[in-house]
Amino acid sequence: MWCQPTIKGTIYDKNGILENVAVYLNNTMFGTTTDVKGEFELKVKEGQYELIVSYLGYKKIVYSLNTSNYTKPLTFVLEEEENILDEIVIKKIVYDEEWKYNLQAFKDGFLGRTSLSKDCEIINEEVIFFDFNRKENKLEAFAKKPLKIKHKALGYIITFELESFVRTNDYITYLGYTRYDEMKGGNRKQKRWKKTD
């Protein structure tokens, strides 16, 4: 009889247990948060994954998880982020024409310009800020919180934890961690989403 593995664990910091820590498998729909005891429980499919443990103000943990080797509950101790995005810089974000121009350049590079990308919407654009170096023609993007992206064509809300985004004349690179949640919709939308998948 097939059994769906259940991953369990507890998250701490130096002061004790941590509640509401995001725990998810990168590039999947499997995710949860820790409860008041700092514990989490995650039902997954068998396989090999990157388990992401993420909490604002703390260093992210990326843990290689193979369900065939998993035997006992996991324990993680989060460390505070020393070089968290400079609060002074964050406070100085001005949503002016330059920010809007940089945002469009970011969306063109990050979401693309395909027909599918037209159905993508970053719900919380205000968390993104930019650093543009005119001399090098280099645009970097940072985010105070995970990006929430609504993909209307595929029927997902995508949570993307942006680690880096760099655009220069010759290339665009970005790195991050992704979690998918199904959008709610009527029967017609659900059928359309299933066909697109």
Side-chain angles (χ1 to χ4, degrees):
M1 184 173 126
W2 179 78
C3 182
Q4 190 174 17
T6 301
I7 308 301
K8 296 181 179 181
T10 309
I11 314 290
Y12 300 88
D13 72 355
K14 64 182 180 183
N15 298 315
I17 58 170
L18 284 173
E19 186 181 356
N20 290 322
V21 178
V23 182
Y24 63 94
L25 303 181
N26 191 27
N27 288 320
T28 73
M29 293 174 56
F30 300 109
T32 188
T33 55
T34 54
D35 62 18
V36 292
K37 295 178 181 175
E39 298 174 352
F40 68 90
E41 189 171 302
L42 195 57
K43 288 189 185 305
V44 302
K45 292 180 181 176
E46 295 210 13
Q48 193 158 342
Y49 302 97
E50 282 184 321
L51 180 77
I52 310 298
V53 180
S54 178
Y55 195 60
L56 193 63
Y58 289 80
K59 293 178 183 174
K60 190 178 285 87
I61 292 175
V62 181
Y63 177 79
S64 291
L65 173 70
N66 189 331
T67 57
S68 61
N69 298 340
Y70 173 79
T71 54
K72 52 187 169 183
L74 302 168
T75 301
F76 297 105
V77 179
L78 293 181
E79 295 178 24
E80 286 187 42
E81 185 72 70
E82 291 172 16
N83 296 323
I84 203 160
L85 297 175
D86 191 332
E87 289 181 25
I88 297 169
V89 173
I90 290 172
K91 285 176 185 171
K92 288 184 179 176
I93 297 176
V94 178
Y95 303 104
D96 56 8
E97 291 305 311
E98 184 180 358
W99 180 85
K100 289 176 187 173
Y101 180 84
N102 288 334
L103 177 66
Q104 190 57 54
F106 170 77
K107 290 199 288 190
D108 287 347
F110 180 66
L111 301 175
R113 295 182 183 179
T114 65
S115 56
L116 268 181
S117 69
K118 290 175 185 172
D119 286 318
C120 281
E121 174 192 355
I122 301 174
I123 301 167
N124 59 343
E125 295 175 342
E126 72 281 355
V127 304
I128 309 169
F129 69 102
F130 306 98
D131 182 31
F132 181 63
N133 183 320
R134 290 184 192 282
K135 193 173 180 181
E136 297 177 15
N137 195 26
K138 181 167 85 169
L139 176 68
E140 292 183 86
F142 308 89
K144 297 188 283 182
K145 293 180 182 177
L147 301 180
K148 294 285 185 183
I149 303 157
K150 184 190 283 188
H151 201 311
K152 291 176 261 188
L154 297 179
Y156 290 111
I157 297 289
I158 303 163
T159 302
F160 188 82
E161 296 197 52
L162 183 68
E163 295 289 304
S164 70
F165 175 94
V166 179
R167 189 204 74 179
T168 64
N169 286 330
D170 302 326
Y171 65 90
I172 294 171
T173 61
Y174 60 87
L175 171 69
Y177 300 99
T178 313
R179 178 178 167 194
Y180 297 87
D181 291 296
E182 287 182 335
M183 288 170 57
K184 293 182 171 70
N187 288 337
R188 189 179 293 172
K189 281 187 178 177
Q190 294 290 346
K191 284 178 186 172
R192 180 165 58 93
W193 291 335
K194 282 181 182 172
K195 281 181 187 175
T196 312
D197 286 348

